């Protein structure tokens, strides 16, 4: 093994480890819903190559309004799926799409793009 | 005294689906002073009845805005249909742009490819300045990268910032690596030559990958718009206006959202029925195919329900409005299909899990591929080999095929189901239906029509039509269900109407009246024997035959002489026997369940070809019978009309509610059949089987494609066969893989329920 092989091997392995950590194990941004008048819990979510914030905490038993603003034209994010609430919605580019749901049970419910690549989690407490 | 009620109409902005409409409606209903609020999603209007002392238009407006929607100052220029057309336009524009990007990439790739191949002819190469050629290729590749491929890089970067990785990440890293390497080889070739490496460039690889992936995207986008075509067609069906009859008898055309419950609406031949209601005046044939899939027009007379969006064929009629807006049959169908398309099929679970970790995992595999090739290949070629295989792994991996496999098939088949009057509640229900081994049919209302009908009319030694006239004159005065059956029978025979007087109902026995001076008695045997009227032996024999066939028998006496017997039974639908035979031919056992006595049960079962049945089942025991069959290890589909069998529908592995069902049944059943016809059960199960087959093919293909493609791209076959996968071929395979899955799903559009033979 010459010096460049050793460098490439070490570099490659640490890069792989970095990829795994970055995508799977790093801490995510969590946001709690803001309760407006009338008990409606509102959350603004920006869709641009992912969901920001992507972990959303809401309270059980109160209506939730998720406001998805899709800040890109990329087709990956054009569809939104929240399977546990039977929601499939087209998100028009550069527009806000409102999605309402009423969480009855506590738990973690994922929302994803049409192909399940982009992900976020709705945490019902 | 009733307080004054005022009505306000607001134009709501920002509603994207039917559930938004019900959300706004709830918000308005909760506002103090609001008596009634109705929001029509299609027209984007809210109609609110409110008490002026407690609410004002301003507070109503406030309520809408605080629920997150807007109120337009004037009528919005765009209706839901136009807005959906707007969305379509946006999509069409995106499609055009995508096509342009593809053509630019393809056009340049076609030039770049032969130029790059010059190096294959050393003789030719001697005359060319390598350095200059590389710069020329760089210039040609830049537009491909910056214009055609731009979205891949921005999307990958946006995703990266959110710690999300998608397909674009793979393409961006793959083409980016090939390009940067080539750029270095072009700008600082000395760096390579000093280390004994050829300064090779991969501009052709970069450009071709981008062109092929874009081609895949173009094909995919074109196919995708077709998956949701069915539901779009449904939504477009709603009528825009209705012709109201004012209390003064004047007819006026009004926009559909101004129609209220209780209004009287006129429908002329060839017009769409505006909304749901009950026919009051006139008769016609109405084409309900759009809702039920029934191709023959349905006869409608006074008292029959009519549904919005159906097409009036022959006559004119007036109907009283009973449902508007989101409550109409059409809206409920659209909502149900929408919800089903948003649900997740259990079969998808594994694919979902894989999708979630797919891209980062492929990145890691690609990095390890690079390291291994670099470490193991000969020094002179290790860098290019490591690079090429690294790129090939990134490019061939296709998460899209996995992601598209199930949802596209579900979208197409739920839409297809709705077209044929089979409403599927969720992807799970659709999946369950293909596993069914036993179909449990409720007898009344499912196999049979669920209403008594005259099957035999026997008048001995008399003019039968005259007897029928007399009988129907008496029965028209009665409200008993059996009497109604007799009246329907007489009407069907075009019997002349006589008038009965002195009508008297005899509780639990029958009725008496006089018709044209003759005393008429109609009732059970007890009525006649208590009156001391004797039956002739012939009539007794006829009655016994009817009783043996498990029919209810009515006896008729005119002027104290028994003249006729009438056999009444709940009749089997004409389609039942054929449908049951088809279910059996598909390999399922069909079992019947009824509250009737074993004799009647056996009779009906034999008539439709069922060998196993449960008789004398009380309504509360129906769910227990389902459990009993399940305990035998069967997967049970329960078919009922939803009246007192909702618990059984829910207990079954899959519940099918028949005949446009009651609301309760629609809630409890996984599948609702809009048509009162058991062939719908066959259609539902056939559709489910075909859909699951398609999904399995898709998933198999997607998994096999990736599990074979990635190792081959990594060079796993190289040590044995010397095979390496060119990144350009990888791009071609990747482009085709997701399109193949989509195309396979779209094959479901050709689904057509086989006609009963």
């Amino acid at each position: 093994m010459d010096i460049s092989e050793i460098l490439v091997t070490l570099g490659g392995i640490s890069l792989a480890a970095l990829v795994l950590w970055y995508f799977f194990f790093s801490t995510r941004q969590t946001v709690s819903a803001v309760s407006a008048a009338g008990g409606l819990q509102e959350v603004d979510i920006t869709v641009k190559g992912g969901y920001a914030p992507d972990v959303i905490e809401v309270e059980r038993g109160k209506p939730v309004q998720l406001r998805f603003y899709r800040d890109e034209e990329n087709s990956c994010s054009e569809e939104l799926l929240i399977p546990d609430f039977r929601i499939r919605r087209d998100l028009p580019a550069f527009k806000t799409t409102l999605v309402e749901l009423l969480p009855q049970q506590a738990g973690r419910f994922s929302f994803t793009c049409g192909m399940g690549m982009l992900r976020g989690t709705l945490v019902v407490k | 005294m009733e307080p004054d009620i005022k009505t306000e109409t607001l134009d709501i902005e920002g509603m994207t689906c039917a559930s938004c409409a019900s959300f706004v409606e709830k918000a308005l209903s909760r506002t103090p002073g609001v008596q009634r609020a109705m929001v029509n999603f299609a027209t984007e209007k809210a109609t609110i009845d409110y008490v002026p002392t407690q609410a004002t238009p301003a507070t109503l407006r406030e309520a809408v805005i605080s629920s997150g929607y807007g109120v337009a100052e004037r009528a919005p220029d765009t209706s839901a249909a136009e807005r959906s057309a707007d969305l379509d336009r946006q999509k069409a524009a995106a499609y055009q742009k995508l096509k342009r990007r593809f053509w630019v990439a393809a056009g340049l790739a076609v030039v770049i490819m032969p130029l790059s191949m010059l190096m294959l002819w050393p003789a030719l190469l001697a005359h060319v300045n390598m350095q200059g050629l590389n710069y020329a290729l760089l210039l040609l590749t830049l537009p491909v990268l910056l214009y055609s491929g731009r979205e891949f890089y921005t999307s990958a970067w946006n995703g990266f910032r959110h710690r999300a990785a998608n397909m674009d990440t793979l393409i961006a890293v793959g083409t980016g690596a090939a390009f940067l390497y080539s750029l270095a080889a072009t700008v600082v070739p000395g760096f390579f030559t000093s280390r004994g490496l050829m300064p090779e460039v991969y501009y052709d690889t970069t450009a071709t990958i981008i062109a092929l992936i874009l081609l895949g995207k173009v094909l995919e986008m074109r196919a995708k718009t077709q998956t949701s075509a069915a539901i779009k067609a449904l939504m477009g069906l709603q009528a825009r206006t209705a012709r109201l009859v004012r209390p003064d008898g004047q007819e006026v055309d009004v926009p559909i959202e101004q129609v209220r419950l209780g209004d009287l609406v006129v429908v002329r031949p060839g017009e769409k029925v505006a909304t749901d209601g009950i026919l009051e005046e006139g008769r016609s044939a109405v084409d309900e195919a759009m809702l039920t899939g029934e191709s023959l027009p349905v006869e409608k007379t006074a008292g029959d329900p009519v549904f919005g969006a159906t097409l009036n064929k022959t006559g004119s009629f007036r109907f009283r409005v009973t449902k508007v807006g989101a409550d109409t049959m059409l809206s409920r169908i659209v909502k149900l299909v929408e919800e089903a398309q948003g649900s997740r099929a259990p079969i998808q679970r594994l694919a979902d899990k894989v999708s979630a970790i797919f891209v980062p995992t492929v990145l890691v595999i690609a990095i390890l591929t690079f390291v291994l090739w670099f470490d193991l290949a000969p020094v002179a070629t290790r860098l290019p080999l490591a690079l090429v295989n690294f790129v090939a792994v990134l490019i061939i991996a296709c998460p899209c095929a996995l992601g598209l496999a199930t949802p596209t098939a579900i979208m197409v088949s739920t839409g297809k189901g709705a077209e044929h009057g089979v409403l599927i509640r969720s992807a799970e229900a659709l999946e369950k239906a293909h596993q069914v081994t036993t179909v449990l049919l409720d007898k009344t209302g499912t196999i049979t029509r669920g209403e008594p009908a005259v099957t035999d009319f026997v008048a001995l030694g008399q003019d039968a039509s005259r007897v029928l006239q007399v009988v129907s004159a008496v029965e028209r005065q009665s409200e008993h269900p059996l009497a109604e059956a007799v009246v329907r029978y007489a009407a069907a025979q075009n019997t002349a109407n006589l008038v009965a007087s002195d009508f008297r109902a005899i509780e639990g026995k029958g009725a008496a009246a006089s018709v044209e001076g003759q005393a008429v008695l109609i009732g059970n045997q007890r009525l006649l024997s208590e009156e001391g009227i004797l039956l002739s032996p012939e009539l007794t024999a006829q009655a016994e035959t009817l009783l043996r066939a498990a029919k209810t028998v009515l006896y008729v006496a005119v002027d104290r002489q028994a003249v006729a017997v009438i056999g009444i039974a709940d009749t089997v639908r004409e389609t039942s026997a054929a449908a049951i035979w088809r279910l059996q031919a598909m390999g399922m056992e069909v079992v019947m369940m009824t509250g009737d006595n074993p004799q009647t049960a056996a009779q009906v079962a034999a008539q439709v070809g069922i060998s196993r049945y449960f008789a004398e089942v009380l309504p509360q025991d129906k769910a227990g019978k389902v459990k009993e069959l399940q305990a035998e290890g069967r997967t049970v589909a329960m078919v009922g009309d939803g009246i007192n069998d909702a618990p059984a529908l829910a207990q079954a592995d899959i519940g099918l509610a028949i005949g446009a069902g009651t609301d309760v049944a629609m809630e409890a059943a996984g599948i609702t059949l809009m048509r009162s016809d058991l062939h719908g059960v066959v259609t539902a199960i056939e559709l489910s089987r075909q859909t699951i087959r398609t999904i399995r093919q898709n998933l198999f293909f997607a998994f096999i494609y990736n599990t074979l493609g990635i190792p081959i791209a990594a060079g796993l076959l190289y040590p044995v066969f010397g095979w390496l996968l060119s990144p350009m071929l990888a791009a071609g395979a990747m482009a085709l893989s997701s399109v193949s899955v989509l195309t396979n799903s779209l094959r479901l559009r050709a689904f057509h329920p086989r006609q009963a033979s």
Side-chain angles (χ1 to χ4, degrees):
Chain A
M1 241 189 191
D2 62 18
I3 182 83
S4 49
E5 278 175 0
I6 293 170
L7 282 179
V8 164
T9 310
L10 289 179
I13 289 173
S14 33
L15 192 60
L18 190 69
V19 166
L20 291 178
W21 170 81
Y22 186 78
F23 288 110
F24 295 142
F25 300 106
S26 57
T27 44
R28 307 257 161 174
Q29 181 189 4
T30 304
V31 160
S32 294
V34 183
S35 278
L40 182 66
Q41 310 181 72
E42 299 172 338
V43 192
D44 288 307
I45 300 162
T46 306
V47 185
K48 193 175 184 182
Y51 304 103
D54 59 4
V55 182
I56 293 150
E57 286 184 355
V58 296
E59 279 176 65
R60 182 157 57 115
K62 288 186 190 166
V64 175
Q65 185 175 69
L66 305 174
R67 303 153 173 248
F68 287 89
Y69 177 70
R70 179 161 161 238
D71 194 18
E72 64 179 350
E73 272 188 309
N74 186 297
S75 61
C76 275
S77 58
E78 71 186 357
E79 244 179 356
L80 171 77
L81 267 177
I82 318 180
D84 295 299
F85 294 89
R86 294 185 176 182
I87 290 167
R88 172 185 290 272
R89 209 62 64 74
D90 276 340
L91 305 180
F94 309 114
K95 291 213 169 111
T96 301
T97 306
L98 304 179
V99 174
E100 270 99 21
L101 42 92
L102 182 61
Q104 302 280 20
Q105 297 174 357
R108 297 174 70 87
F109 306 98
S110 64
F111 54 93
T112 69
C113 68
M115 294 185 195
M117 296 279 113
L118 316 179
R119 309 190 146 250
T121 310
L122 188 69
V123 183
V124 180
K125 291 196 162 169
Chain B
M1 202 191 104
E2 280 269 308
D4 273 352
I5 305 274
K6 273 196 164 177
T7 302
E8 174 77 14
T9 305
L10 297 177
D11 296 310
I12 310 293
E13 286 178 333
M15 296 192 294
T16 50
C17 69
S19 63
C20 300
S22 61
F23 189 79
V24 174
E25 202 169 280
K26 269 188 220 125
L28 281 167
S29 307
R30 277 200 301 267
T31 310
V34 171
Q35 297 273 325
R36 200 184 65 106
M38 200 204 88
V39 179
N40 186 323
F41 167 57
T43 57
E44 299 187 287
K45 283 183 198 296
T47 317
I48 309 122
D49 294 345
Y50 65 101
V51 185
T53 49
Q54 294 173 41
T56 62
T59 61
L60 298 177
R61 201 171 281 258
E62 200 54 45
V64 174
I65 291 167
S66 74
S67 73
Y69 296 87
V71 178
E73 287 307 319
R74 54 188 187 83
D77 303 322
T78 54
S79 68
E82 287 168 42
R83 200 157 32 76
S84 119
D86 220 41
L87 198 69
D88 287 348
R89 263 197 296 282
Q90 200 183 33
K91 278 193 179 167
Y95 178 65
Q96 287 309 326
K97 199 168 152 196
L98 187 66
K99 268 211 309 213
R100 219 165 32 238
R101 286 167 52 205
F102 161 69
W103 282 117
V104 169
L108 287 168
V110 165
V111 181
I112 294 167
M113 276 277 247
L115 282 181
S116 312
M117 289 188 182
L118 286 181
M119 64 188 77
L120 294 179
W121 290 278
L124 208 61
L125 204 59
H127 301 285
V128 187
N129 176 354
M130 259 319 270
Q131 191 78 3
L133 178 67
N134 282 353
Y135 271 104
L137 287 171
L138 170 62
L139 278 179
L140 288 168
T141 308
L142 272 176
V144 179
L145 214 68
L146 298 180
Y147 172 71
S148 299
R150 186 193 160 87
E151 202 183 86
F152 297 130
Y153 306 103
T154 53
S155 160
W157 173 243
N158 288 330
F160 183 76
R161 289 195 337 196
H162 290 101
R163 295 170 196 256
N166 53 38
M167 190 193 88
D168 293 339
T169 314
L170 298 175
I171 296 160
V173 174
T175 56
F179 179 77
L180 289 178
Y181 181 92
S182 311
L183 186 66
T186 310
V187 181
V188 284
F191 178 84
F192 292 81
T193 42
S194 69
R195 279 162 183 76
L197 289 169
M198 271 284 286
E200 276 182 88
V201 293
Y202 295 96
Y203 293 121
D204 55 342
T205 307
T206 312
T208 313
I209 291 174
I210 290 175
L212 283 171
I213 303 285
L214 285 172
L215 173 66
K217 280 204 151 196
V218 167
L219 295 176
E220 183 183 313
M221 204 157 168
R222 202 171 63 181
K224 244 178 148 179
T225 51
Q226 295 169 18
T227 55
S228 56
I231 185 135
K232 279 208 187 107
L234 264 179
M235 284 201 275
L237 285 176
Q238 209 196 12
R240 298 249 159 272
T241 59
R243 175 160 298 121
L244 282 189
V245 183
R246 288 272 159 80
D248 59 10
Q250 205 188 341
E251 292 180 8
V252 279
D253 274 332
V254 300
I256 187 75
E257 58 276 0
Q258 287 179 21
V259 176
R260 302 300 181 76
L261 297 182
D263 280 349
L264 195 60
V265 176
V266 184
V267 188
R268 291 181 300 195
E271 283 181 347
K272 251 184 207 173
V273 177
T275 185
D276 295 5
I278 301 284
L279 195 146
E280 285 207 341
E281 224 183 294
R283 59 189 302 158
S284 182
V286 177
D287 178 4
E288 296 187 337
M290 51 294 283
L291 298 187
T292 64
E294 167 68 64
S295 51
L296 293 175
V298 183
E299 288 294 328
K300 300 278 182 185
T301 56
D304 286 340
V306 291
F307 301 102
T310 57
L311 197 64
N312 180 28
K313 293 292 229 194
T314 49
S316 280
F317 62 87
R318 293 175 170 203
F319 71 94
R320 188 71 66 186
V321 175
T322 56
K323 297 267 174 63
V324 285
D327 295 331
T328 58
M329 191 58 86
L330 178 68
S331 301
R332 281 161 58 205
I333 291 174
V334 169
K335 185 161 172 259
L336 207 74
V337 177
E338 264 179 7
E339 284 184 357
Q341 295 187 337
S343 66
R344 188 183 356 219
I347 195 171
Q348 193 181 350
R349 220 170 278 145
L350 179 63
D352 273 352
K353 280 202 184 117
V354 174
S355 293
I357 58 161
F358 191 90
V359 175
T361 308
V362 170
L363 282 174
V364 169
I365 294 174
I367 292 168
L368 296 182
T369 302
F370 185 93
V371 169
L372 279 175
W373 276 101
F374 193 86
D375 289 354
L376 300 177
V379 174
T381 51
R382 65 185 181 184
L383 191 55
L385 277 174
L387 179 77
V388 166
N389 291 310
F390 170 76
V391 174
V393 167
L394 291 173
I395 298 301
I396 202 162
C398 184
C400 296
L402 271 181
L404 292 171
T406 315
T408 51
I410 301 274
M411 297 266 285
V412 176
S413 82
T414 46
K416 203 71 203 168
E419 233 173 79
H420 293 288
V422 175
L423 296 185
I424 298 151
R425 211 176 145 68
S426 67
E428 199 179 344
L430 185 66
E431 188 180 334
K432 256 297 144 358
H434 93 284
Q435 300 165 331
V436 167
T437 58
T438 303
V439 180
L440 180 59
L441 302 173
D442 191 29
K443 194 209 87 182
T444 310
T446 304
I447 298 177
T448 65
R449 290 205 169 73
E451 53 184 34
V454 172
T455 55
D456 304 81
F457 184 84
V458 189
L460 286 182
Q462 296 274 339
D463 175 3
S465 69
R466 159 77 188 165
V467 175
L468 187 57
Q469 284 170 22
V470 170
V471 168
S472 95
V474 177
E475 296 289 48
R476 266 205 306 279
Q477 311 256 346
S478 170
E479 276 166 6
H480 197 276
L482 293 183
E484 281 172 23
V486 174
V487 174
R488 266 199 309 275
Y489 176 75
Q493 314 279 319
N494 286 321
T495 307
N497 287 342
L498 299 181
V499 180
S501 53
D502 307 328
F503 176 82
R504 184 161 57 88
I506 304 159
E507 190 68 36
K509 290 173 203 158
S514 81
V515 179
E516 294 185 335
Q518 291 181 301
V520 184
L521 270 181
I522 304 170
N524 53 20
Q525 196 175 7
R526 220 169 103 208
L527 178 70
L528 264 71
S529 58
E530 278 177 16
E531 293 284 331
I533 299 169
L534 290 181
L535 285 177
S536 67
E538 292 100 319
L539 272 184
T540 311
Q542 289 288 349
E544 268 166 13
T545 313
L546 293 175
L547 284 169
R548 259 200 307 280
K551 288 173 183 172
T552 307
V553 180
L554 288 182
Y555 299 84
V556 181
V558 176
D559 284 339
R560 301 194 55 77
Q561 197 179 357
V563 293
V565 290
I566 304 171
I568 292 178
D570 182 9
T571 50
V572 170
R573 299 182 201 276
E574 293 92 16
T575 51
S576 294
I580 288 165
W581 182 85
R582 288 172 71 200
L583 287 171
Q584 288 163 339
M586 284 164 77
M588 283 168 282
E589 186 175 354
V590 182
V591 181
M592 186 184 86
M593 166 160 82
T594 174
D596 294 346
N597 57 47
Q599 204 185 353
T600 314
Q603 166 79 23
V604 175
Q607 204 178 333
V608 295
I610 291 178
S611 51
R612 184 175 178 190
Y613 57 86
F614 301 113
E616 289 176 340
V617 183
L618 298 173
Q620 62 269 30
D621 297 337
K622 286 184 175 177
K625 290 293 172 200
V626 175
K627 264 191 211 152
E628 211 176 299
L629 288 172
Q630 285 169 329
E632 292 172 18
R634 298 155 182 271
T635 304
V636 179
M638 163 77 201
V639 188
D641 61 3
I643 302 165
N644 77 39
D645 51 18
L649 289 174
Q651 169 66 39
D653 295 285
I654 170 90
L656 293 97
I658 197 166
T662 52
D663 287 1
V664 194
M666 262 171 127
E667 287 298 314
I671 296 177
T672 302
L673 305 175
M674 298 300 292
R675 229 182 320 165
S676 303
D677 178 341
L678 282 180
H679 284 302
V681 180
V682 183
T683 306
I685 292 174
E686 270 179 353
L687 183 62
S688 164
R689 286 185 176 182
Q690 213 151 316
T691 308
I692 297 301
R693 203 177 311 137
T694 305
I695 292 175
R696 287 211 179 115
Q697 290 161 352
N698 286 348
L699 286 174
F700 178 80
F701 174 79
F703 275 114
I704 286 293
Y705 169 84
N706 281 302
T707 48
L708 288 184
I710 293 174
I712 291 174
L716 202 69
L717 296 181
Y718 185 75
V720 191
F721 301 107
W723 287 357
L724 279 180
L725 189 67
S726 141
M728 287 181 258
L729 273 180
M734 145 85 184
L736 286 179
S737 67
S738 54
V739 176
S740 324
V741 164
L742 255 169
T743 313
N744 196 33
S745 292
L746 284 174
R747 285 196 312 133
L748 282 169
R749 296 202 310 162
F751 174 84
H752 201 81
R754 265 173 289 163
Q755 286 308 308
S757 46

